[in-house]
Structure formats: C-alpha cells, structure tokens
Amino acid sequence: MSDLTRRLLLKAIGGALGLAAVAKALAPLRADGEETTVEGFLRKSYRDLSPEEIQSLIVHLEEMTRRVHGVDVTIRDAPPIPGVEFGFALNLSVCTGCRACVAACHRENNHDRPSAESYIRVLEMTQGSLDLAHSTTTYDHPVPAPGKFYMPVQCMQCRNPPCVRACPVGATWQQADGITVTDYNWCIGCRYCEVACPYHARRFNWTTPEIPAAEINPDQALLANTLRPRGVDEKCHFCLHRVRDGRLPACLEACPTGARVFGDLRDPNSEICRVLAERRTFALREEAGTAPRFFYFFED
Amino acid sequence: MEEIATRTMSPPRFARLRFLWHALMTATEGPLPYLLWMLVLTLVALVGLHAWARQASQGLILTHMTNQVLWGLYIANFTFLVGIAAGAVMMIIPAHLCGDREMRRVAIIGELMAIAAIAMCLLFVVVDLGRPDRLWHLIPFLGRLNWPQSILAWDVIVLGVYLLLNAALVWHQLFSHSLGRRPWAAWHRPAIWISIGWAIAIHTVTAFILCGLVSRPFWNTALMAPRFLASAFVSGPALLIITLLLLRRWTRAPVGEAPTQTLLSILRVTVILNLLFIGCEIFTVFHTGGSHSEGARFLYFGLESDSSLVPWIWFALALDTVAALMLLHPRSRRLTGWLAGACLLATVGIWIEKGLGLIVPGFIPSPLHEVVHYTPSALEWQITAGVWALGLLIFSAGLRVAIPTLCRDVGAGEKTP
C-alpha cells in the first residue's frame, strides 16, 4: 500500500468516526418533547398569512392541543376592532396587593404552572417613595402591610414600544387598537424585546409550558393565549381574546377592590376616559418616552 | 502588460476544486503535536455539541438565565469575540494602509483570526436562541429581517458581511498562491479597505445593541462604542502577538520580529486608552449616583448581598493594569515570555470586563429593581468551551493551510515547514 493510500484511508476512517461521534452527540435532539414538522418549520409570519392560511393554522393548533393534551379548545383569529384604542388605569389607593390579578392572568393565559408565570408583577412600594429601588416583588406576608402601598405592573401597551423596535424579525408589533402582540410561531427567542422593555413586562418560555389538561383555558385566540411553544417570548395583550369580543380583561374581573379600569380611549363616554379626565393620573417611567396606554392614579 | 494578462486569465479547469482538496488534505495532516491539538479540540467541540443538543431539546431552562438575567455567558463571549474579530484589523491597517511590508507578509493571520472569531460570534448567537430552528427568519428576503428598525438586524448584516468579506479575502489570496499568481489588486485592494471600515462597523453596531436601550441605564452610555473599540484593539493585537510568538516557537513559519513589534506599539497606546475609558465610566456613574448607577454598584461593590461579580471585576482591572505596566516596560520589546505574559493578562482581563462584567450588570438590578443572582450553569460552560474549540479548530486549520503560502511569498532562501 502506498503512503498516499494509507493516509487517505486513515483520514477516511477518522472522518467516519468523527461523523458518527457528531451523530451520537446530537442524539438528544431526537428525544425532543415538542414535535417539529416540515409545515411548522416553513410557516410564514402571521403578518404574511392569507385568511385561508390563518384558518389552517387554527386547525393545526387545535388539533395539536387535542393530540398532545387531550383537550378540545376553540381558537379564533381576533383582529382589532376598527376605531377602538384600548387603555387601562389602576387606582393605587384601593389596590391591596392581594395578587388576585396575577393569579387570574396565570389561569386565563395558560401560563406555565411550575414557574407560576403571569404577565403581572405586583410591586410592594414603600410609603413616601415612588423609587422602584425601595420596592419588592417577592413579599410574602398578609396584605396590605403597614407603611406599604401596591403597584401592579404589566405591559403598558406603549404608543412607542421599545420591544417592537428591538425585535430583529418583526415577531412583535403594535396593532391598530394599540395592543402590541407577539407571533409565537415566528419569534426566534433572542429575548432582545425583553431586554429592551423598561417595565420588565415581557416573559420568555425557558421550557415548554406545563399545564394540567383540566386547567387549560379553552377560550383562545391567535396572538393571545394559545399554548405557547418552548423558546419564544410573550407578554400581556390586554386579554385581546376577551376585549375584542366585548368582554373585560381577566385581571380586572378578578380584582376584589375594583382598582382596575379598562376601556376605549376614543370613546369619550367610557369609564377610562372619565378617569383620565377627572383623576390625577400618571404613567410609570414616562421619562422613558414610551408613551404608555396604562395609567396609575391615587384617589383624591 | 504581461502581469495584467496573467491576472485576468481564468484559472485552469477544476483548479478551485483541486485547491479545496489540497487545503483539506493539508489541514488533516501534520506533525503529531498538531494532530493531537486538533483531536483535543474536536473532543471538546463534541462535548459542546452534545450539551447544545440537550439544551435545544429541553430549552434554555438548562442554563441559569432567568427573566431577570436574560443574557449570560453566551452573549458575554459574543461581545468579547466581536472585539477579537474587529481587533484583528490592527494587522491589516499597518500592512495595507501604512505600507508595512513585513506585516503584509503575515496579515492573512489577522484575517484568519477574524474569520474564526466571527464564526464563534455567530455560533454564540445561535446557542443563545430559544428557537434555533427559526434561524432562517433572520435571512434577508427569505425571512423577515426587521431592518432598519432593529439594531440586532443591523448586527446580523454587518457580522454576516464581515465574515463573507474576510472569507473571500483569504480564499482569494490562498487560491492565487496555489496558482503561483499574486492577488488581483483591482479586487483585493478595495476589499481590504472595505474590511477595515467594516471592522469598525461590527464593533460599533454591537455596542449600539446594548447602549441604545432606555431600559438598561448601565449600558446607556455614549462611551460604549469607543470603549468597545479600545478594548478590541487591546485583546485583538494581544491574541495576535500570542499567535505570532507561538508560530515562531513551534513552527517554521517565516514570522519575523517586526510584526510583533508593530503590534506591541499599537498595544502600548490602546491599553492606556482602555484604562482611561474605564476610568471615565467609573467617574461618571459614581459621581452622578442615583438609581442609574445601581448596575455599576452591583458590579464593583455588590448590591443587596449579591456581590458575585465584585472579585471578578477587580481582578480584571488588576489584570488590565498589570498588563499595561508590563507592556510599557522596555522589557516587553526584548523578552518574549514577558511580552506573551502581558498579552495573556490583557486578554483575560478584557474577557472578564467586556464579557460577564459588561453583560450581567445590565440585568442586575432588573428594570423593576429585582436582584436575581446569575452564575452560568455547567451546561453553559460546556457549550461555551465547545464553541471556543470549534473556533480554534477553524483558526488552526486555516493557519495550517495558509502558512506554507507565506513561505512561498518570502521567496527562496527561507525555511519551509
């Protein structure tokens, strides 16, 4: 055997061994809990889908929920209602920090159970200060505690949203009624939107969300509370599957003190407009230039 | 006239394929130490690949990143390596703008380092993604690149183009050599100039990713891009000096004394500049005070009982300072070991202060002032080691193919490997 042939043979053996090692190293990919299909891999962004493709996406998601979780859910496409712009206000004088809104959001939006995820964080603030440095989100005692007040924080549905500008693939955008939505089937999971948000309003799915079948909320809409895959970002969408259907957000309905006010900013007779006209409201981190549609106020 | 004729003449049939085959054969053989080195790197890369496969099938939950600390070890290495890629240009500038012939002879080493560094950057971005299967969404026209709004989209473009540009430059030089021709100046010259500007661009845009956010006061400083460049022009030349010294020691590559000395002259300026910028940052942030300084307070002194980065950052500053003193000492011109040591200290110092020391304090405290601790998980270290190993594999193989061509360029009378 010539030297050249011998070397080539050795290299071929080495190459084959290397390829086998690569295949072996990649073995965990085959044990993936989430299914990957060619159709799912090639799916376009929601914004590029035709009405027929949206329908087929809905059918696909419903079927997948049935197959994986054994649950029948109804998924709708809920586009914004023309001429409407949603706003939220929160009365800090009556909020007791009970976190009923946090729990309601958790259930309504099919959040991961083990991490107790929710779109809302409640800050326990120290009286005499609006500096968040004097606040905590991890309080664990009867509320309201003396010397404290409570400030729930969720997506502000900014008119000038930093998260939308951050996204490198246009997977999050602001719709006509002011709600910023996320396309869970298009997001690549870089988390730059979440890095960019000055309210820490966004959430990342570090693993496939886990929810017992009996607890899955079957009332779902695209870009809202469908079961999310692993590795994508999400955020509060003002319960768009409810509010674009004439209902109120789940956090508002759950609030025992009536601290939350929701409505159409373009309807002068709405409760939100009355609050904005009559109360001394303010926006969180207004200096950030985000122009929130979410306001806070203290009772006069 | 004759020269122009040869340059425009098309190469013989299959010359490119034959050259590729030749490169593959060269890269896969060599002296025993080279083969062992490549074997070790392959094994580490395989460990990293396996760790990544586990992460991809279970999610980023296997890392220690959280909704508070959203980026960690991967992006820390990414920012550092963008610096290495940009810093490699410090060979190209003397070689092609200042007419340094000695440097021009070995400048391809800088381009190879840039290629390896950018490849690592892209890999660190991929391993940081929650959905690596959707990477194609970032490809212009095919996906939906949010350009020009998203700074990340800009970064994808500048990094991608920089990789292609350097790959084309290296390919053209090596392929020309294999045909016994000189690089075609009409193409090569402008490409070199563009690559110099582009090196500045990749690091500036990467700095803009961080400094243009209202949510992260720690990063929100106009000094970010200049500081990135200053530190890149420390770590890049430092690693290049180490590479040149190693090549001189372990191979018969015709690497003279002059390029190392030129790089050292550059380093002597940039180490000072880097320390000056750090000082400016420290003054501004602490003298101003208030809640905007909390990230820096966490980094340098600890915040709410989390002082995990404090020893690291002071260690890094000590390394930077000692390295600066060593480089400025006349001994660095004469003693190889002294110089290599100083370069190593500088590189490690910058890896810390521009890696985790830059990324993590952007997240602690969070915009809602939560303090959530972060230390990378074992899996994050495995994946990181794997990416580095793959990058070093690319660099080593590139050097192996390129070095013989350096010799031929020098002409007769030189040693050949």
Side-chain angles (χ1 to χ4, degrees):
Chain A
M1 202 192 294
S2 78
D3 180 50
L4 186 69
T5 341
R6 193 176 57 87
R7 277 191 299 170
L8 270 179
L9 197 66
L10 277 175
K11 282 181 193 183
I13 292 171
L17 279 175
L19 281 180
V22 166
K24 186 86 185 141
L26 288 174
L29 289 179
R30 284 198 299 273
D32 191 341
E34 280 181 20
E35 58 181 58
T36 31
T37 58
V38 176
E39 192 201 354
F41 177 74
L42 294 175
R43 184 170 292 116
K44 288 185 283 186
S45 155
Y46 173 89
R47 286 197 274 179
D48 293 330
L49 294 179
S50 66
E52 297 77 42
E53 286 169 322
I54 288 179
Q55 278 315 309
S56 84
L57 171 63
I58 286 174
V59 169
H60 164 75
L61 290 176
E62 286 179 344
E63 265 175 11
M64 201 170 69
T65 314
R66 197 173 304 126
R67 202 168 54 247
V68 177
H69 301 274
V71 179
D72 281 314
V73 298
T74 319
I75 302 175
R76 286 164 295 125
D77 181 35
I81 307 160
V84 171
E85 183 184 356
F86 290 117
F88 221 130
L90 201 146
N91 186 344
L92 293 171
S93 297
V94 299
C95 176
T96 60
C98 70
R99 293 191 181 118
C101 53
V102 176
C105 173
H106 177 69
R107 287 189 303 270
E108 178 71 27
N109 287 303
N110 292 316
H111 280 291
D112 179 46
R113 292 304 187 254
S115 60
E117 200 50 273
S118 171
Y119 294 138
I120 307 174
R121 279 193 184 90
V122 182
L123 299 185
E124 185 177 68
M125 309 285 290
T126 304
Q127 223 132 90
S129 172
L130 266 177
D131 187 347
L132 302 188
H134 301 137
S135 75
T136 173
T137 55
T138 52
Y139 61 92
D140 184 20
H141 50 71
V143 289
K148 304 288 182 189
F149 68 99
Y150 297 86
M151 182 155 75
V153 177
Q154 62 205 77
C155 178
M156 302 285 155
Q157 312 294 354
C158 306
R159 290 191 169 86
N160 180 22
C163 58
V164 170
R165 235 178 311 148
C167 180
V169 293
T172 188
W173 68 98
Q174 193 174 180
Q175 294 195 310
D177 58 0
I179 296 177
T180 293
V181 294
T182 311
D183 185 349
Y184 312 128
N185 296 313
W186 190 253
C187 169
I188 60 171
C190 71
R191 309 184 292 294
Y192 193 37
C193 55
E194 202 170 330
V195 175
C197 175
Y199 304 100
H200 198 181
R202 304 197 59 117
R203 304 287 183 274
F204 184 68
N205 288 284
W206 299 94
T207 189
T208 312
E210 233 177 81
I211 315 167
E215 295 177 24
I216 290 176
N217 176 12
D219 171 24
Q220 299 181 1
L222 292 178
L223 309 175
N225 61 341
T226 55
L227 299 180
R228 271 82 70 197
R230 168 188 70 227
V232 302
D233 221 272
E234 52 172 311
K235 61 183 275 299
C236 164
H237 42 83
F238 275 180
C239 277
L240 71 80
H241 56 294
R242 297 168 63 106
V243 301
R244 287 177 184 170
D245 195 27
R247 291 177 284 160
L248 289 164
C251 55
L252 184 149
E253 280 191 351
C255 180
T257 63
R260 290 170 172 269
V261 179
F262 182 84
D264 182 2
L265 295 170
R266 294 193 196 162
D267 172 7
N269 299 318
S270 68
E271 201 186 345
I272 183 80
C273 282
R274 195 176 49 76
V275 165
L276 289 178
E278 294 171 7
R279 304 302 179 114
R280 289 156 202 181
T281 54
F282 69 94
L284 188 61
R285 294 247 163 102
E286 204 181 349
E287 71 279 7
T290 47
R293 288 191 182 86
F294 194 107
F295 303 89
Y296 296 94
F297 63 100
F298 291 98
E299 214 143 55
D300 297 323
Chain B
M1 278 319 283
E2 197 187 293
E3 260 193 336
I4 291 167
T6 50
R7 275 175 212 160
T8 47
M9 201 172 70
S10 64
R13 280 176 71 199
F14 305 123
R16 287 185 177 82
L17 261 179
R18 220 174 305 143
F19 169 66
L20 207 60
W21 177 252
H22 163 76
L24 187 69
M25 287 299 113
T26 314
T28 47
E29 56 192 45
L32 193 62
Y34 170 77
L35 292 178
L36 280 177
W37 165 247
M38 297 300 264
L39 183 69
V40 169
L41 290 178
T42 308
L43 291 177
V44 177
L46 282 170
V47 169
L49 188 68
H50 181 65
W52 175 77
R54 283 200 295 139
Q55 178 188 284
S57 64
Q58 290 174 58
L60 290 167
I61 188 124
L62 295 183
T63 72
H64 282 171
M65 291 186 274
T66 53
N67 271 314
Q68 281 76 23
V69 183
L70 289 155
W71 289 341
L73 192 59
Y74 303 148
I75 298 299
N77 277 284
F78 165 79
T79 48
F80 173 78
L81 284 164
V82 175
I84 298 300
V89 83
M90 278 299 159
M91 272 183 131
I92 314 297
I93 290 177
H96 294 275
L97 289 191
C98 310
D100 181 339
R101 294 180 61 86
E102 287 284 322
M103 190 63 99
R104 189 178 297 191
R105 201 172 285 169
V106 293
I108 197 169
I109 295 172
E111 287 158 358
L112 286 170
M113 186 186 269
I115 290 174
I118 290 289
M120 284 189 263
C121 288
L122 297 178
L123 286 171
F124 272 117
V125 170
V126 172
V127 300
D128 190 62
L129 290 185
R131 302 296 314 196
D133 54 321
R134 298 182 185 168
L135 192 66
W136 68 272
H137 296 184
L138 283 167
I139 299 171
F141 307 110
L142 193 61
R144 193 182 227 282
L145 196 69
N146 186 20
W147 187 87
Q149 282 77 27
S150 171
I151 301 297
L152 217 50
W154 281 83
D155 213 37
V156 168
I157 291 173
V158 292
L159 289 178
V161 170
Y162 192 65
L163 179 63
L164 294 178
L165 201 56
N166 275 287
L169 276 169
V170 166
W171 168 268
H172 183 66
Q173 287 171 76
L174 295 181
F175 183 56
S176 305
H177 273 287
S178 79
L179 297 177
R181 298 178 187 171
R182 298 172 67 95
W184 181 29
W187 184 87
H188 194 242
R189 275 271 185 70
I192 287 275
W193 291 334
I194 293 170
S195 83
I196 291 171
W198 218 269
I200 310 291
I202 59 167
H203 222 21
T204 306
V205 174
T206 305
F208 286 176
I209 288 179
L210 302 177
C211 74
L213 298 175
V214 70
S215 55
R216 309 284 162 185
F218 179 73
W219 295 334
N220 195 207
T221 159
L223 197 57
M224 186 71 87
R227 227 188 116 182
F228 263 38
L229 288 169
S231 60
F233 295 153
V234 175
S235 53
L239 272 183
L240 283 170
I241 288 180
I242 293 174
T243 309
L244 291 176
L245 293 178
L246 285 175
L247 287 178
R248 237 166 58 193
R249 180 91 184 248
W250 296 104
T251 72
R252 278 175 288 173
V255 178
E257 174 82 7
T260 320
Q261 296 294 331
T262 309
L263 287 170
L264 172 57
S265 301
I266 295 169
L267 263 184
R268 284 182 164 184
V269 178
T270 54
V271 279
I272 302 289
L273 205 59
N274 187 45
L275 283 174
L276 172 73
F277 285 171
I278 293 175
C280 293
E281 200 96 85
I282 288 179
F283 167 79
T284 309
V285 83
F286 287 115
H287 192 264
T288 311
S291 57
H292 275 221
S293 69
E294 282 193 321
R297 213 148 61 219
F298 160 74
L299 176 63
Y300 289 102
F301 303 110
L303 197 69
E304 291 181 18
S305 80
D306 189 349
S307 49
S308 44
L309 280 181
V310 176
W312 286 97
I313 193 66
W314 289 107
F315 180 54
L317 291 188
L319 289 178
D320 285 1
T321 313
V322 172
L325 292 174
M326 284 175 77
L327 289 168
L328 290 168
H329 196 282
R331 227 174 270 173
S332 61
R333 287 261 181 237
R334 298 191 313 269
L335 297 180
T336 312
W338 179 278
L339 176 61
C343 288
L344 193 66
L345 295 187
T347 308
V348 174
I350 284 174
W351 181 72
I352 297 171
E353 53 132 317
K354 212 174 140 191
L356 286 179
L358 173 79
I359 298 302
V360 176
F363 296 105
I364 300 176
S366 81
L368 297 185
H369 284 263
E370 294 165 290
V371 176
V372 175
H373 178 74
Y374 167 78
T375 354
S377 69
L379 175 122
E380 284 174 86
W381 284 111
Q382 285 165 20
I383 292 179
T384 300
V387 173
W388 272 94
L390 205 59
L392 286 173
L393 263 176
I394 295 172
F395 190 39
S396 308
L399 286 175
R400 175 99 192 114
V401 176
I403 282 173
T405 68
L406 302 180
C407 304
R408 214 182 303 166
D409 198 23
V410 174
E414 289 278 339
K415 291 183 285 188
T416 45

